[in-house]
C-alpha cells in the first residue's frame, strides 16, 4: 500500500490514536461539523426533490399510460382553432346524461383522498361537481394527484361524462348532474389567494348559525374585498348583482326607445358647475378653470332646445362630496332623461312610472335566477311596485302623524326621514315605490320651475324605493330671462353658464326630466346595505384604486 493510500485509509479512530490525546477535542469538533454538514446537505436534497416533484405535477408522469389525459395546457397564443366545443356549466343537465362534454371553469374547491378526488367547478354563478376515481382505465393515480394539486381559482379545461347522481348535489347549482372526469388540464394557475372565495360568498345568516353551534366561520371585510375587487367580483352574488345592473340599463334604454326617446352623449369636461354649489372636481383645462360634470343636465336641456324632443343618456356622473355613507359615491353611473312637455310635469312622471314598472317586472321575471343567487348571500324580498304620488306637504303630514312632529315643512328630507316615510308609505299604501312632488323651491337647483300657485314650492319630484331617493327631477325653466334671474339669486356666476342660458333665447319647448343613479337603483331593489356592493370599482372619498 502506498503512503498516500495508507493515509487515506486511516479511520477517525486511527487518526486519533496516532495524534494522541491532545488532538481529541479538535477531532471531535470536526466530526460534529461534518455530521451537521451531511444533515444539511440531505435536507437540501429532500427540499430539492420536493421541488422537482411539484414541478413534475404540472405535467404528467412520463411513465403514466394515461399521460395524454392531463397536464398543464400550452400557453394560449392563438396558434389555431381546433374546432372543439365548450359547454357552459349552467347548461349541464339530465338531458346531457352519458354525453361527453368539455368545460372551462375555475377550481372552486378541491377534496382529495387516496385514489379519489372531488372538484367543484365554477363558471360565473353556476357550479358543478367533478369526480375522479383512479381505475387505471380512464383515470390514473397520477391524474388524481395532478387534479388535487391545482390551486383554487385556477382555470381548467375539464373533459368528462355527464352523470346523474343517486342524490342531488346540494352544494352546487347543477344539483342533478355531475361530471365523471376523463381529462383535465390547467389553463391558468392561480397564485396564493388573499382570501378564500368560499369565505367571501358566505351570508351573515350562515355565519350566525355556525356561531350558535359553537363554530367560527371566516368572513371577508369590505376593505379587503375592495382592495382585491377583481377577485371579490368572482363570487356568485357579485356575478348576479352585475347581471342585474346590466339588465336595469338595458330595460331603461329599451323602454325609453319604445317611448320615442333618442340616446345622446354629452361632455363631462365643462366650464362651470352643472348643478351649482361647490361639490365639483375642479381641474385645469388648457389654462382655463374647468370641472367634471355633476350631471348632463345642461346639455340634456340644450338638446331639447335643439328639437330632439325626448332624449336619454347613460354615463358617468361626478360629485366631490365628502360623504362617506352607505349610499354616496364620488363617481357613479347616471341614467338621465329629458323630454318636452305640453302642459304639465305629470307627463314626465307618467314616463317614469312606466319605466320603473318595466324595470320591476323585468327583473322579477327574466332575472329571477340572478335575484335568487343574490338572495342566497344577501337575503331580501322583491320590492312591491304600486305607483303612488304624494305632494311634499302630504309627505310631511305623514311624517308628523307617524311620530316626527318636528320635521321642517320647508326643508329637505334627510336619510332618517326618507326611510321613516318609506316605512309609513309601505304600511299605509302597500308599496315600496312612490313619488314625492312639489318640493320647496329653496331645496332645488336654480333651473327648477316654481309652482304657479305658490312659488315657495316647485314643479319638482323625487322617486323612492324602500324609503330611499333614487331619482331627482323637475320641470325646468325654459325662458332665458327667468333663468338668468334664478341663477343670480342662487349665486351662480353667469359667465360660467352663459352658453346654457343662450340656448333658451331662440325659442325653447317647455320640458322636464330626471336623473337616476344606477348603483342606487340596484342597491335598493336588491335590499343591499351598501352602494359599494353595486359599484364595480367604487370611488368614494377614501378610495381611488383599484
Amino acid at each position: 500500500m502506498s503512503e498516500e493510500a495508507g493515509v487515506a485509509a486511516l479511520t477517525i479512530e486511527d487518526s486519533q490514536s496516532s495524534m494522541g490525546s491532545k488532538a481529541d477535542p479538535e477531532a471531535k469538533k470536526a466530526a460534529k461539523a461534518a455530521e451537521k454538514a451531511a444533515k444539511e446537505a440531505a435536507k437540501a436534497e429532500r427540499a430539492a426533490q420536493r421541488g422537482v416533484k411539484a414541478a413534475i405535477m404540472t405535467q404528467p408522469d412520463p411513465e403514466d399510460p394515461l399521460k395524454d389525459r392531463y397536464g398543464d395546457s400550452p400557453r394560449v397564443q392563438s396558434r389555431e382553432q381546433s374546432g372543439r366545443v365548450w359547454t357552459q356549466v349552467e347548461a349541464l343537465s339530465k338531458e346531457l346524461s352519458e354525453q361527453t362534454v368539455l368545460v372551462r371553469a375555475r377550481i372552486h374547491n378541491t377534496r382529495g383522498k387516496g385514489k379519489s378526488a372531488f372538484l367543484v367547478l365554477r363558471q360565473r354563478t353556476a357550479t358543478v361537481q367533478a369526480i375522479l376515481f383512479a381505475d387505471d382505465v380512464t383515470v390514473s393515480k397520477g391524474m388524481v394527484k395532478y387534479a388535487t394539486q391545482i390551486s383554487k381559482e385556477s382555470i381548467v379545461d375539464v373533459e368528462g361524462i355527464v352523470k346523474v347522481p343517486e342524490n342531488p348535489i346540494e352544494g352546487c347549482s347543477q344539483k342533478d348532474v355531475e361530471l365523471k372526469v376523463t381529462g383535465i388540464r390547467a389553463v391558468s394557475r392561480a397564485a396564493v389567494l388573499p382570501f378564500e372565495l368560499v369565505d367571501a360568498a358566505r351570508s351573515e345568516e350562515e355565519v350566525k348559525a355556525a356561531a350558535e353551534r359553537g363554530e367560527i366561520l371566516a368572513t371577508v371585510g369590505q376593505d379587503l374585498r375592495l382592495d382585491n375587487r377583481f377577485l371579490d367580483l368572482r363570487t356568485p352574488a357579485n356575478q348576479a348583482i352585475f347581471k342585474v345592473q346590466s339588465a336595469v340599463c338595458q330595460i331603461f334604454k329599451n323602454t325609453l326607445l319604445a317611448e320615442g326617446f333618442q340616446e345622446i352623449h354629452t361632455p363631462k369636461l365643462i366650464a362651470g358647475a352643472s348643478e351649482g354649489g361647490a361639490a365639483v372636481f375642479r381641474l385645469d383645462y388648457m389654462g382655463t378653470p374647468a370641472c367634471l360634470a355633476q350631471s348632463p343636465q345642461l346639455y340634456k336641456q340644450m338638446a331639447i332646445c335643439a328639437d330632439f324632443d325626448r332624449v336619454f343618456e347613460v354615463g358617468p356622473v361626478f360629485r366631490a362630496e365628502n360623504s362617506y355613507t352607505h349610499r354616496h359615491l364620488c363617481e357613479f353611473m347616471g341614467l338621465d332623461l329629458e323630454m318636452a312637455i305640453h302642459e304639465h310635469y305629470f307627463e314626465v312622471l307618467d314616463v317614469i312610472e312606466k319605466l320603473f314598472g318595466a324595470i320591476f317586472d323585468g327583473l322579477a321575471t327574466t332575472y329571477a335566477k340572478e335575484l335568487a343567487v343574490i338572495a342566497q348571500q344577501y337575503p331580501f324580498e322583491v320590492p312591491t311596485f304600486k305607483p303612488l304620488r304624494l305632494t311634499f306637504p302630504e309627505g310631511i303630514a305623514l311624517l308628523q302623524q307617524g311620530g316626527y312632529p318636528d320635521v321642517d315643512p320647508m326643508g329637505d328630507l334627510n336619510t332618517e326621514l326618507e326611510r321613516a316615510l318609506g316605512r309609513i308609505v309601505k304600511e299605509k299604501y302597500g308599496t315600496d315605490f312612490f313619488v314625492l312632488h312639489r318640493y320647496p323651491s329653496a331645496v332645488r337647483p336654480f333651473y327648477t320651475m316654481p309652482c304657479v300657485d305658490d312659488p315657495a314650492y316647485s314643479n319638482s319630484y323625487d322617486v323612492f324605493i324602500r324609503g330611499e331617493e333614487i331619482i331627482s327631477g323637475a320641470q325646468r325653466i325654459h325662458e332665458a330671462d327667468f333663468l338668468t334671474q334664478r341663477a343670480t339669486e342662487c349665486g351662480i356666476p353667469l359667465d360660467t353658464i352663459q352658453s346654457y342660458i343662450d340656448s333658451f333665447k331662440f325659442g325653447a319647448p317647455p320640458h322636464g326630466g330626471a336623473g337616476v343613479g344606477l348603483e342606487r337603483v340596484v342597491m335598493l331593489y336588491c335590499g343591499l346595505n351598501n352602494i359599494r356592493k353595486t359599484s364595480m370599482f367604487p370611488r368614494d372619498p377614501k378610495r381611488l384604486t383599484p
Side-chain angles (χ1 to χ4, degrees):
M1 178 184 296
S2 67
E3 186 178 9
E4 290 84 358
V7 173
L10 286 175
T11 63
I12 293 176
E13 289 80 3
D14 293 334
S15 300
Q16 289 176 339
S17 299
S18 62
M19 293 175 68
S21 59
K22 190 173 182 181
D24 286 351
E26 288 78 1
K28 289 180 180 178
K29 188 175 180 181
K32 286 183 180 179
E35 184 179 1
K36 183 177 180 182
K39 287 182 179 179
E40 290 295 333
K43 184 177 179 182
E45 177 65 20
R46 289 195 298 272
Q49 287 299 319
R50 285 199 298 271
V52 170
K53 289 179 182 178
I56 286 174
M57 288 318 294
T58 64
Q59 296 300 331
D61 183 342
E63 304 301 320
D64 190 341
L66 300 176
K67 61 180 179 295
D68 293 336
R69 298 188 177 216
Y70 65 100
D72 287 14
S73 293
R75 180 182 296 127
V76 176
Q77 286 186 286
S78 302
R79 290 181 176 86
E80 62 177 356
Q81 288 184 286
S82 65
R84 292 182 297 169
V85 176
W86 281 262
T87 300
Q88 296 292 307
V89 171
E90 65 180 3
L92 298 176
S93 64
K94 290 181 178 179
E95 286 69 26
L96 297 177
S97 178
E98 299 304 320
Q99 294 186 31
T100 298
V101 297
L102 177 62
V103 168
R104 178 166 292 180
R106 290 188 183 275
I107 298 287
H108 185 66
N109 212 345
T110 305
R111 180 165 51 91
K113 185 176 182 181
K115 296 182 179 181
S116 64
F118 295 83
L119 313 178
V120 175
L121 306 178
R122 190 188 76 248
Q123 188 182 71
R124 304 208 69 183
T125 60
T127 52
V128 67
Q129 179 171 272
I131 57 175
L132 296 92
F133 293 104
D135 56 9
D136 292 328
V137 178
T138 56
V139 176
S140 65
K141 289 181 181 178
M143 188 170 167
V144 171
K145 188 174 183 179
Y146 170 81
T148 57
Q149 289 185 359
I150 301 175
S151 55
K152 292 180 182 178
E153 291 305 298
S154 293
I155 297 172
V156 293
D157 276 344
V158 175
E159 185 180 85
I161 301 169
V162 178
K163 296 288 186 178
V164 177
E166 292 183 5
N167 300 307
I169 310 297
E170 295 299 334
C172 296
S173 67
Q174 310 310 104
K175 300 180 185 300
D176 299 329
V177 294
E178 62 185 4
L179 285 181
K180 183 180 179 182
V181 178
T182 56
I184 180 169
R185 296 189 181 278
V187 177
S188 176
R189 287 180 175 266
V192 177
L193 303 173
F195 55 80
E196 295 286 343
L197 265 289
V198 173
D199 298 337
R202 284 200 178 98
S203 68
E204 290 184 8
E205 285 68 19
E206 184 182 354
V207 174
K208 289 178 182 177
E212 291 173 359
R213 299 191 302 267
E215 301 176 22
I216 299 177
L217 296 180
T219 57
V220 184
Q222 178 176 278
D223 285 342
L224 182 58
R225 286 177 181 271
L226 295 182
D227 288 343
N228 300 276
R229 188 61 159 163
F230 40 82
L231 185 61
D232 180 48
L233 288 171
R234 296 179 189 175
T235 65
N238 280 332
Q239 290 285 313
I241 284 170
F242 288 97
K243 277 191 178 182
V244 167
Q245 187 185 92
S246 176
V248 170
C249 240
Q250 293 307 310
I251 296 170
F252 175 83
K253 289 186 174 185
N254 293 339
T255 302
L256 293 182
L257 288 170
E259 291 294 314
F261 282 74
Q262 175 180 339
E263 185 171 11
I264 62 172
H265 303 283
T266 63
K268 304 308 165 199
L269 289 170
I270 63 174
S274 49
E275 298 262 351
V280 294
F281 288 103
R282 303 190 182 279
L283 52 90
D284 179 87
Y285 184 75
M286 309 298 181
T288 301
C291 64
L292 295 176
Q294 293 168 296
S295 81
Q297 184 56 53
L298 311 187
Y299 295 98
K300 288 190 304 177
Q301 291 184 255
M302 289 185 191
I304 298 302
C305 292
D307 292 341
F308 279 64
D309 195 47
R310 292 184 164 198
V311 299
F312 72 87
E313 178 174 9
V314 177
V317 173
F318 304 92
R319 304 285 172 89
E321 296 174 346
N322 194 19
S323 300
Y324 194 75
T325 72
H326 78 285
R327 67 174 188 171
H328 285 97
L329 291 172
C330 294
E331 179 184 353
F332 60 90
M333 290 303 295
L335 309 179
D336 280 86
L337 64 94
E338 201 76 18
M339 58 181 278
I341 61 175
H342 293 101
E343 298 176 313
H344 204 286
Y345 66 88
F346 276 15
E347 296 167 42
V348 184
L349 293 183
D350 292 340
V351 170
I352 289 173
E353 288 171 347
K354 193 169 194 175
L355 170 63
F356 275 88
I359 290 174
F360 273 56
D361 181 64
L363 294 183
T365 54
T366 308
Y367 292 87
K369 184 179 73 172
E370 283 74 18
L371 296 179
V373 171
I374 296 169
Q376 288 176 2
Q377 183 168 3
Y378 305 111
F380 74 99
E381 293 183 3
V382 172
T384 305
F385 178 81
K386 294 179 183 177
L388 172 68
R389 297 179 191 178
L390 300 169
T391 65
F392 190 83
E394 287 172 338
I396 293 296
L398 286 175
L399 284 169
Q400 291 173 334
Q401 295 162 13
Y404 296 85
D406 299 327
V407 60
D408 184 355
M410 300 303 290
D412 208 353
L413 301 181
N414 59 28
T415 302
E416 179 188 358
L417 292 174
E418 287 181 354
R419 287 178 171 173
L421 183 58
R423 290 193 297 269
I424 294 168
V425 167
K426 182 66 180 288
E427 292 172 4
K428 185 170 183 176
Y429 299 101
T431 181
D432 290 299
F433 176 95
F434 67 95
V435 176
L436 198 62
H437 63 104
R438 281 181 67 100
Y439 270 72
S441 295
V443 299
R444 306 305 279 199
F446 74 94
Y447 47 74
T448 305
M449 182 69 77
C451 290
V452 65
D453 58 331
D454 186 351
Y457 291 92
S458 61
N459 296 342
S460 61
Y461 37 83
D462 279 1
V463 178
F464 295 83
I465 295 178
R466 299 189 196 269
E468 292 199 39
E469 175 251 313
I470 55 156
I471 282 183
S472 183
Q475 179 187 354
R476 324 299 188 183
I477 295 173
H478 58 278
E479 298 170 354
D481 291 343
F482 194 9
L483 194 60
T484 299
Q485 175 188 328
R486 286 290 297 145
T488 302
E489 291 171 353
C490 292
I492 296 176
L494 296 181
D495 60 336
T496 64
I497 58 169
Q498 194 57 53
S499 61
Y500 168 66
I501 294 174
D502 289 345
S503 67
F504 298 100
K505 290 182 177 179
F506 309 103
H511 59 282
V516 186
L518 174 60
E519 291 87 349
R520 195 175 290 187
V521 171
V522 178
M523 175 186 77
L524 294 173
Y525 185 95
C526 296
L528 299 171
N529 62 4
N530 197 302
I531 199 166
R532 291 159 186 79
K533 288 185 170 72
T534 58
S535 175
M536 186 165 280
F537 296 99
R539 294 291 179 260
D540 61 34
K542 298 182 180 180
R543 182 169 293 277
L544 194 56
T545 59

